[in-house]
Amino acid sequence: MTRGRLAAGAALAAAALLLPSVAGPFWMGLVTQMLVFGLLALSVDLLLGHAGLFSICHGSFFAVAAYTVAILQVRYGVSTLPAAAAGLAAGTLLGLVFGLAVRTRGVYFILITIAFGYVVWGVAHRWSSFTGGDNGVTNVPFPALGGLRVESHTEYYYLTLAVVALVALGYRVVIRSPFGLALRGIRGSETRMRTLGFDSNRHLYAAFVLSAALASLAGVMYVYYNRFVNPVAASFPVSVEAALMAIVGGSGTIIGPFLGSVIILGLRNWVSSFFELYAAVMGIVFIVAVLWVPEGLVGLAARARRRSQA
Amino acid sequence: MTTSAILQAINGTSLAALLFLVASGFTVTFGLMRVVNMAYGAYYLLGGYVGLSIMRATGSFALAVVGGGAAVVVAGYLIDRFLIHYTGENHLAQVLLTVGIAFVIGDLALKIWGGDSLKVPVPMALRGAMELPGGLVYPAFRFVLIFFGAAVAGALWLLYTRTQIGAVVRAGVDDREQVAATGIDVDRLFVMVSAVASFLAGMAGVVGGAFLTLYPGAEWEILIVALVVVIVGGLGSLGGAMIGALVVGLLDAYGRWLLPEFSYFVLFGPMAVLLLFRPQGIAGREA
Amino acid sequence: MTTLRSFRSLRRAALLLVLAVLAAAAGVQAQGEPIKIGFLIPLTGPLATPGQDMRDGFALFWEQAGQTAGGRKVQIVTADTTCNPDQALTQARRVVHQEKVHFMVGPLCGHEGPAVAQVSKETGVPLLMDTAGADTVTKWDRTPTVVRTAVSASQIGHPWGDYMYKELGLRNVTFIGQDYTWGHEVTLGAVKTFTELGGKVAKIIWNPIGTKDYGPTIAGIPADTDGVSAVVVGVDRVRLFEAWFNFGMDKKKKIFGGYWMHQDVLPQMDERAIGMIGNSLHYAAGLETPENKAFVDAFARKYKRLPSWFAESAYTTGLWSKAAIDTLGGKVEDRAAFLRAVRTTKINAPRGPLRLDEYDNPVQNVYISKIQKIKHPALGEVLTNVPFKTYPAVSQFWTWKPEEFLKRGPYKR
């Protein structure tokens, strides 16, 4: 790791740790959100940046995990550990089912994930006796593990930070492993990998399920932060924005999705406070990102660095 | 019971007519130019709103339909030329780009026409109900819509299968490089086809706006259903779009009549299953 | 000697005087800061129009009140919830933490209600829930800091069932209901009272919000029904209206609005609506009381249209909050006292006399109204709802005992 990167990383870590002491509950809440959605974006990027599959249904795993936790905790009084585990399991299980989509490629894959996403959203919306419909599930308590319990948004922020740090480390291990290499190989040229003897479908399926599990984790973190979940969590815009975050920040990297999350959520918050047409602004961000910054912020920085070195 | 069943069949068919108008453009655009344009719903909305304004200003429904279509042709051309053009065949980029464009169009429409649901006024001759054989009463406009849709479908089909231009387009869907190699100006072909597709979508907005109304969010609702049509019928196939539209229209009508709480399932379930086992749809090419 | 002592006591007196003045100034300083109200409504999105009505009604009240209450200036902080609970939650947290509002008013959409109530619970900031009508907020899922100033969904459904049986003489009704909490609770509330009187339900047809096509619904109406009750919201109100006539149903069956033709959607309907029952609701613009006439007049002159119930509701919430703040002399910081004042104040709103029951929901009149064309001095000829039957002082529990009602649980599909 270069000295510059180390310094930047240290500064970031310091800023993250000190945030609660300088910022109020609103900013802390916002940064927690950025971390959680960054996690979701990361899950999408595992498929997008490494396996070359563009999935627009990760909001489904996110939402299913969130709903599972919420319903178990609020309605059945289940405690945090089993509820969170069940949430993770539910989302991952859905991933096992939706993962069948990897039998298709390209635009068909994209469309089938869109359809899957809508089915889950539709169920969340219409099965109101179970999911609460549009009302959603409210008053989800803060997590509590045995004697330890989170008492405030500040504590939850630190918990989220810790989880994200651990996940990032694990993610790094995965993408640098032979499995990760195989994925990128498939993205580069599937036929070549096949001729080399790799079962591309099985690799892609495993990647899909893994990314679903990661999205589920994001869902669990989300519901404990928001303490509320409703069908919006499973909606199309959520899934599309997660992909956009990965791209805007820098697809294929670890920090990219988080950067993207900061940019998108920050922009939305800032713009909506003074400008009514912020959906149009988000649309423009999409357009600009796709046309001029496809490699994302990380890519831009790399490009700038290369240029300064040249 | 059977009167209800027949009524639902007519409902489904009139919806199918509308879906065909939106889906046919989308599918041929993809088939020929390999462009996934998620802004088709927004084109529908834009065309509808423009048509509404024209109707309010002139009182001529025909002018509104043509005007709405024309407006989208212009917008679509600019979007194609200055935005989509740069995404090449990168479907991911196209999806994101066109979703962004749809957001922009949707928000601008909200600003200009407001958040109310607006109805495109129907010409006096087509208002109210008409009596069908068997004592069935049905909205005149929607019934006429079926014939309109069939007429457009017929005209498109003739164009596609019986004219030279149509042959070139079909050849292009099959193998674009070959067509270019024979010296045909492929770019101009694309522009033409795209224009027709845009016109259809805009026209659909005016016509749809007359009985479904126009409002923020309509662009996504119609797009999703049109996507189902295209997937079921097969990406790139005009005939598939016709079949798909009928299937989806009827499924929608009967599904909502018989199993209202599972209406999303009735629409998307079969589509998802179909996609898993036959991703190219009913009439599409091999995936 | 006396001079020194008296000088000392003079100094002491001066010191005390200065301290007293400083204390008073500090008190005045705290009092002098404006009262900030967090106003959570949809400014954009599909419910922007009712949201606009709320904004206008609220603004009209505070303008008439000189932007003051309890001797302090009032500042309204408006936040856009887009009728989305997620956004509502975020905005509620923002106005509480960043803008430091003293209390919140809103939100509009029923499903946003519980989400904003949650923020009120988390932070202790009082919420005057205006418009959002989910039953549970004032029955099973109550928050001590949340009080409702508008209406609870089934509160308008119960008298409607009664009316259909007793006054319309219907016995076999088809219910068309919007498929979400508000639609469920209004419809099923009517079903409950209707069936308890002996009526039969021919069929209940649920339609999700934004149903594109009312054809299948119309086709699904049983042939032997003697009347149709409509509970629809938003865009669907227009679509059902059109579909009804387009399918020639106006010649075959009768349809009545349980919750249908409100003021905000009447401009999109036409003369065919005249004579039809538009609503069973706690407000009608055509209500002829001095308070309402004054309100409607002022609203019409300022905004060039008649007010819907969304507008009146916001106006009345302004009226209610001011009445409460006035009794406190402006000390809104004392949240418990503020809530107590709101709970005990009775007001004469444009819609009629209002007071809160022990479950923090208003007891109020419910009006069954018909669509009429009236001539308004400022607007000319307009369609509006004119009440012709009043159910006075209706409670959210109708005629049942609260404990009995609560035991039954919420109305579910």
Side-chain angles (χ1 to χ4, degrees):
Chain A
M1 245 206 188
T2 64
R3 207 129 38 108
R5 270 219 202 130
L6 215 62
L12 196 68
L17 286 167
L18 290 171
L19 181 73
S21 13
V22 297
F26 176 70
W27 288 107
M28 251 193 343
L30 189 60
V31 175
T32 311
Q33 249 191 316
M34 289 169 173
L35 288 169
V36 168
F37 281 96
L39 212 56
L40 180 65
L42 192 70
S43 76
V44 174
D45 197 44
L46 177 60
L47 286 176
L48 183 63
H50 299 274
L53 288 173
F54 185 21
S55 161
I56 318 189
C57 68
H58 273 57
S60 306
F61 313 124
F62 181 78
V64 165
Y67 265 104
T68 307
V69 168
I71 292 175
L72 284 176
Q73 287 242 219
V74 172
R75 253 183 251 164
Y76 298 101
V78 175
S79 67
T80 302
L81 197 56
L88 267 169
T92 312
L93 221 79
L94 190 67
L96 281 167
V97 174
F98 284 5
L100 294 172
V102 302
R103 297 171 58 173
T104 63
R105 294 283 182 277
V107 73
Y108 297 98
F109 179 80
I110 300 176
L111 293 176
I112 196 178
T113 59
I114 295 180
F116 280 163
Y118 262 92
V119 170
V120 171
W121 175 80
V123 169
H125 212 258
R126 310 286 250 99
W127 196 9
S128 31
S129 53
F130 185 64
T131 63
D134 261 334
N135 282 8
V137 183
T138 47
N139 291 307
V140 177
F142 271 136
L145 262 165
L148 300 157
R149 59 173 33 241
V150 170
E151 297 281 330
S152 68
H153 280 283
T154 316
E155 290 176 23
Y156 193 69
Y157 166 74
Y158 281 121
L159 177 63
T160 311
L161 205 56
V163 169
V164 166
L166 281 170
V167 168
L169 281 170
Y171 189 82
R172 191 160 182 268
V173 168
V174 169
I175 60 175
R176 289 188 174 205
S177 70
F179 177 66
L181 284 169
L183 286 181
R184 288 193 287 285
I186 296 173
R187 189 186 86 193
S189 169
E190 187 170 351
T191 36
R192 200 174 297 171
M193 293 299 284
R194 281 234 186 100
T195 56
L196 285 172
F198 282 87
D199 185 339
S200 58
N201 268 2
R202 203 177 292 174
H203 277 80
L204 292 177
Y205 186 70
F208 192 93
V209 177
L210 191 60
S211 82
L214 194 53
S216 308
L217 178 61
V220 172
M221 299 309 295
Y222 168 76
V223 78
Y224 281 121
Y225 150 73
N226 210 27
R227 308 176 68 189
F228 167 78
V229 64
N230 86 327
V232 166
S235 65
F236 181 67
V238 167
S239 296
V240 177
E241 269 185 17
L244 185 71
M245 288 175 187
I247 292 174
V248 163
S251 177
T253 65
I254 301 179
I255 191 124
F258 290 98
L259 270 178
S261 173
V262 169
I263 294 173
I264 300 291
L265 286 178
L267 193 69
R268 183 194 300 158
N269 242 280
W270 180 58
V271 173
S272 65
S273 62
F274 64 79
F275 192 54
E276 273 182 21
L277 293 181
Y278 75 88
V281 172
M282 295 307 290
I284 293 178
V285 172
F286 273 56
I287 297 172
V288 165
V290 166
L291 290 181
W292 286 293
V293 200
E295 55 312 2
L297 213 64
V298 172
L300 264 183
R303 218 203 294 170
R305 215 183 313 126
R306 274 198 302 272
R307 214 174 289 160
S308 68
Q309 284 170 353
Chain B
M1 195 57 174
T2 28
T3 9
S4 296
I6 298 176
L7 251 148
Q8 299 300 13
I10 308 179
N11 279 337
T13 315
S14 62
L15 184 63
L18 188 71
L19 288 176
F20 172 74
L21 290 176
V22 181
S24 55
F26 185 93
T27 203
V28 175
T29 310
F30 179 78
L32 180 63
M33 294 167 272
R34 291 275 179 265
V35 166
V36 182
N37 190 343
M38 303 284 284
Y40 259 86
Y43 286 178
Y44 167 95
L45 192 71
L46 181 65
Y49 275 133
V50 169
L52 172 69
S53 294
I54 294 178
M55 187 68 185
R56 279 179 177 166
T58 68
S60 163
F61 193 70
L63 202 62
V65 169
V66 170
V72 178
V73 170
V74 171
Y77 174 74
L78 293 170
I79 290 172
D80 273 344
R81 173 89 174 69
F82 294 109
L83 294 173
I84 299 183
H85 177 72
Y86 295 102
T87 61
E89 295 216 359
N90 184 345
H91 293 314
L92 185 164
Q94 286 167 1
V95 169
L96 284 175
L97 177 73
T98 50
V99 167
I101 293 170
F103 278 2
V104 174
I105 295 178
D107 233 11
L108 284 175
L110 177 64
K111 191 74 188 178
I112 301 175
W113 285 280
D116 272 331
S117 66
L118 302 173
K119 209 168 81 76
V120 176
V122 160
M124 283 314 299
L126 291 174
R127 270 191 219 192
M130 63 190 278
E131 182 119 1
L132 300 173
L136 277 175
V137 185
Y138 198 76
F141 183 76
R142 291 185 59 172
F143 198 69
V144 171
L145 178 60
I146 298 179
F147 292 103
F148 182 68
V152 171
L156 276 179
W157 186 252
L158 281 174
L159 244 156
Y160 201 60
T161 53
R162 298 263 186 277
T163 66
Q164 196 163 37
I165 295 261
V168 173
V169 173
R170 270 181 293 129
V173 170
D174 244 359
D175 190 330
R176 197 182 343 160
E177 284 79 18
Q178 273 289 76
V179 172
T182 62
I184 293 178
D185 189 342
V186 174
D187 277 327
R188 208 145 51 119
L189 192 68
F190 284 8
V191 170
M192 246 181 44
V193 172
S194 202
V196 172
S198 302
F199 187 80
L200 287 171
M203 205 170 57
V206 183
V207 160
F211 76 97
L212 294 177
T213 72
L214 300 166
Y215 53 95
E219 70 268 37
W220 298 109
E221 290 182 23
I222 199 85
L223 178 72
I224 273 301
V225 189
L227 272 183
V228 178
V229 169
V230 160
I231 292 172
V232 165
L235 268 172
S237 161
L238 189 64
M242 291 182 202
I243 302 174
L246 259 167
V247 169
V248 172
L250 289 169
L251 261 179
D252 185 69
Y254 279 107
R256 277 190 303 115
W257 175 47
L258 298 167
L259 296 163
E261 57 268 31
F262 294 112
S263 54
Y264 271 113
F265 236 78
V266 170
L267 262 188
F268 289 107
M271 186 200 80
V273 169
L274 181 72
L275 258 183
L276 286 176
F277 298 106
R278 199 187 156 82
Q280 67 269 39
I282 294 177
R285 305 161 60 224
E286 245 340 288
Chain C
M1 261 341 341
T2 29
T3 41
L4 195 60
R5 207 179 291 153
S6 53
F7 192 62
R8 246 210 309 238
S9 61
L10 193 64
R11 251 200 346 215
R12 211 178 289 155
L15 197 62
L16 279 169
L17 188 62
V18 168
L19 281 173
V21 168
L22 278 175
V28 165
Q29 184 66 341
Q31 295 281 67
E33 266 176 33
I35 299 178
K36 289 174 99 166
I37 309 180
F39 193 41
L40 300 160
I41 51 172
L43 290 170
T44 60
L47 268 95
T49 311
Q52 184 67 21
D53 264 14
M54 279 183 74
R55 180 167 33 184
D56 291 344
F58 206 53
L60 179 66
F61 173 76
W62 287 111
E63 183 187 296
Q64 289 180 343
Q67 307 284 7
T68 56
R72 287 165 75 175
K73 273 234 145 300
V74 167
Q75 196 187 329
I76 302 172
V77 177
T78 308
D80 184 4
T81 67
T82 72
C83 191
N84 175 335
D86 214 60
Q87 264 289 80
L89 193 83
T90 311
Q91 292 298 337
R93 284 194 180 132
R94 182 176 74 87
V95 300
V96 163
H97 292 303
Q98 259 201 317
E99 305 280 351
K100 311 245 188 285
V101 299
H102 293 101
F103 63 96
M104 299 184 279
V105 171
L108 189 148
C109 291
H111 53 311
E112 295 178 306
V116 178
Q118 180 181 315
V119 175
S120 173
K121 185 186 207 174
E122 276 172 11
T123 58
V125 172
L127 169 67
L128 299 185
M129 187 173 289
D130 178 20
T131 311
D135 268 356
T136 190
V137 168
T138 50
K139 295 189 185 65
W140 300 275
D141 210 349
R142 293 172 56 207
T143 312
T145 50
V146 175
V147 150
R148 180 140 51 198
T149 57
V151 70
S152 182
S154 56
Q155 191 171 11
I156 54 175
H158 298 136
W160 178 235
D162 182 277
Y163 184 81
M164 280 194 290
Y165 190 90
K166 294 197 187 140
E167 311 276 339
L168 291 176
L170 301 175
R171 295 290 179 267
N172 190 25
V173 171
T174 305
F175 291 85
I176 295 180
Q178 206 81 64
D179 196 2
Y180 77 122
T181 312
W182 171 266
H184 296 161
E185 292 175 342
V186 176
T187 305
L188 294 172
V191 166
K192 180 84 177 138
T193 48
F194 182 70
T195 50
E196 272 198 358
L197 286 166
K200 224 164 58 80
V201 173
K203 189 173 183 182
I204 307 185
I205 306 176
W206 297 111
N207 292 294
I209 304 184
T211 296
K212 290 188 299 293
D213 192 353
Y214 272 86
T217 300
I218 304 261
I221 296 175
D224 61 341
T225 192
D226 58 1
V228 179
S229 154
V231 172
V232 272
V233 312
V235 147
D236 297 45
R237 295 176 293 177
V238 180
R239 292 192 187 137
L240 178 61
F241 184 77
E242 291 288 330
W244 186 259
F245 290 99
N246 281 340
F247 280 84
M249 290 299 279
D250 54 317
K251 301 189 179 49
K252 292 205 215 142
K253 294 255 177 258
K254 294 209 144 290
I255 190 168
F256 310 98
Y259 181 86
W260 192 9
M261 301 188 234
H262 304 109
Q263 196 60 51
D264 64 307
V265 82
L266 281 175
Q268 293 204 49
M269 295 174 168
D270 51 51
E271 323 241 313
R272 294 176 292 182
I274 297 182
M276 291 176 76
I277 293 183
N279 286 307
S280 155
L281 196 62
H282 57 294
Y283 179 69
L287 181 66
E288 304 231 326
T289 61
E291 289 87 4
N292 193 43
K293 285 178 112 154
F295 165 64
V296 171
D297 246 8
F299 193 92
R301 275 174 222 287
K302 181 158 184 183
Y303 299 110
K304 306 284 177 281
R305 63 182 196 277
L306 290 179
S308 65
W309 74 274
F310 302 103
E312 189 274 344
S313 204
Y315 182 92
T316 299
T317 306
L319 177 67
W320 210 324
S321 52
K322 178 166 161 74
I325 296 173
D326 283 346
T327 65
L328 296 173
K331 288 237 315 235
V332 135
E333 282 78 5
D334 186 346
R335 292 170 178 168
F338 175 63
L339 285 166
R340 200 164 38 239
V342 173
R343 286 180 168 123
T344 51
T345 311
K346 301 201 204 337
I347 56 168
N348 270 325
R351 68 177 103 132
L354 293 180
R355 63 174 175 85
L356 285 178
D357 63 15
E358 328 83 63
Y359 287 80
D360 295 334
N361 191 69
V363 177
Q364 56 197 328
N365 298 343
V366 175
Y367 308 101
I368 313 287
S369 30
K370 282 204 181 122
I371 310 296
Q372 301 289 344
K373 187 187 274 199
I374 61 160
K375 205 164 162 60
H376 189 272
L379 302 172
E381 289 201 330
V382 277
L383 293 177
T384 191
N385 277 290
V386 177
F388 66 99
K389 164 120 185 122
T390 303
Y391 283 88
V394 173
S395 140
Q396 59 171 326
F397 300 109
W398 188 232
T399 51
W400 297 291
K401 284 202 166 46
E403 306 81 50
E404 183 191 331
F405 192 101
L406 291 176
K407 225 191 326 188
R408 269 194 269 131
Y411 289 113
K412 282 191 178 223
R413 256 194 68 169

